[in-house]
Amino acid sequence: GENVEQHPSTLSVQEGDSAVIKCTYSDSASNYFPWYKQELGKRPQLIIDIRSNVGEKKDQRIAVTLNKTAKHFSLHITETQPEDSAVYFCAASTKAAGNKLTFGGGTRVLVKP
Amino acid sequence: GAVVSQHPSWVICKSGTSVKIECRSLDFQATTMFWYRQFPKQSLMLMATSNEGSKATYEQGVEKDKFLINHASLTLSTLTVTSAHPEDSSFYICSARDLHIVGQFFGPGTRLTVL
């Protein structure tokens, strides 16, 4: 089955700096890659996603890049703010596997004011 | 956007009892619902996938007789934790998708504490 690795597990940045989180996946058939933000005790919130036919997608301060050949994708947050502090999860899914999501281990991001 | 609700938001029960958690899609028809378990400071682990009107598909290592899943309608799936034990204490989250949506919409989660 699919395996998703996420790095780093924790990330501390100064407010205004950029944060980058990287994920690798194992199943070359994976075709959908969402990123979720989860605050303590809350549900995961979709912040951005990308499909396998696209190499990059941007939404204001958030961007995701996908390298299908290397089977890795990354989340970039620019101009970080204290409210960006949360746990971020990457995930991958394939239609063949019923679109079920396989999650990375998560990255705890702390933005210091 | 698509809204998914869960009930209850938290529950405390005694060891050996059963607990039922409901997951509802409020403004769309969920052909597929997923149940996850999340232990503190860990990632979401998929427990099972349920399609409306058919038996759930359980992930490896998840006991189907302990975690009973019913998806009787396009807007409701239930997870029953039978004979709960303290090690079943966790955050249970459902998600739902319909035929035309690639992504999943998550419920707010249910925190289960078994004493």
Side-chain angles (χ1 to χ4, degrees):
Chain A
E2 174 71 281
N3 183 48
V4 178
E5 300 281 343
Q6 184 171 345
H7 298 282
S9 56
T10 59
L11 180 60
S12 181
V13 297
Q14 207 64 41
E15 182 178 0
D17 288 350
S18 295
V20 180
I21 304 170
K22 299 182 179 181
C23 288
T24 59
Y25 60 98
S26 60
D27 188 347
S28 57
S30 289
N31 58 0
Y32 175 67
F33 308 91
W35 285 89
Y36 292 91
K37 175 183 179 182
Q38 187 180 31
E39 297 177 354
L40 190 62
K42 301 286 182 64
R43 78 183 85 195
Q45 297 271 15
L46 178 69
I47 56 172
I48 197 167
D49 57 8
I50 192 167
R51 300 197 191 195
S52 58
N53 59 349
V54 177
E56 184 173 355
K57 184 177 178 180
K58 189 174 181 179
D59 182 4
Q60 299 183 351
R61 298 186 296 109
I62 295 173
V64 57
T65 58
L66 171 65
N67 183 327
K68 283 194 299 181
T69 303
K71 290 190 282 189
H72 68 69
F73 55 114
S74 301
L75 177 72
H76 304 252
I77 307 174
T78 58
E79 301 171 26
T80 54
Q81 302 165 3
E83 51 265 38
D84 294 329
S85 297
V87 179
Y88 292 80
F89 292 98
C90 64
S93 75
T94 67
K95 191 174 182 180
N99 293 300
K100 64 180 185 181
L101 293 171
T102 300
F103 282 85
T107 298
R108 188 171 301 274
V109 174
L110 175 63
V111 180
K112 294 184 282 188
Chain B
V3 180
V4 177
S5 70
Q6 252 181 272
H7 179 81
S9 55
W10 61 269
V11 57
I12 301 173
C13 70
K14 292 182 179 179
S15 188
T17 60
S18 295
V19 173
K20 180 185 281 189
I21 302 170
E22 292 186 349
C23 178
R24 293 181 185 272
S25 56
L26 299 185
D27 53 2
F28 68 101
Q29 293 186 325
T31 51
T32 306
M33 287 186 169
F34 303 88
W35 286 95
Y36 297 85
R37 181 166 51 182
Q38 186 177 34
F39 291 109
K41 297 189 178 181
Q42 293 189 23
S43 188
L44 286 83
M45 297 299 295
L46 180 65
M47 299 174 66
T49 302
S50 74
N51 292 295
E52 184 264 339
S54 61
K55 289 184 179 180
T57 302
Y58 290 82
E59 294 299 300
Q60 194 171 6
V62 178
E63 299 174 58
K64 62 179 181 180
D65 294 329
K66 179 170 182 62
F67 299 99
L68 302 178
I69 292 172
N70 183 280
H71 192 165
S73 78
L74 283 171
T75 59
L76 173 64
S77 176
T78 60
L79 166 68
T80 301
V81 183
T82 62
S83 187
H85 288 98
E87 57 265 31
D88 298 323
S89 298
S90 187
F91 193 48
Y92 291 86
I93 311 176
C94 71
S95 70
R97 63 179 294 268
D98 76 10
L99 206 56
H100 308 290
I101 299 175
V102 176
Q104 298 175 22
F105 298 96
F106 284 86
T110 297
R111 184 157 305 282
L112 170 64
T113 301
V114 184
L115 301 177

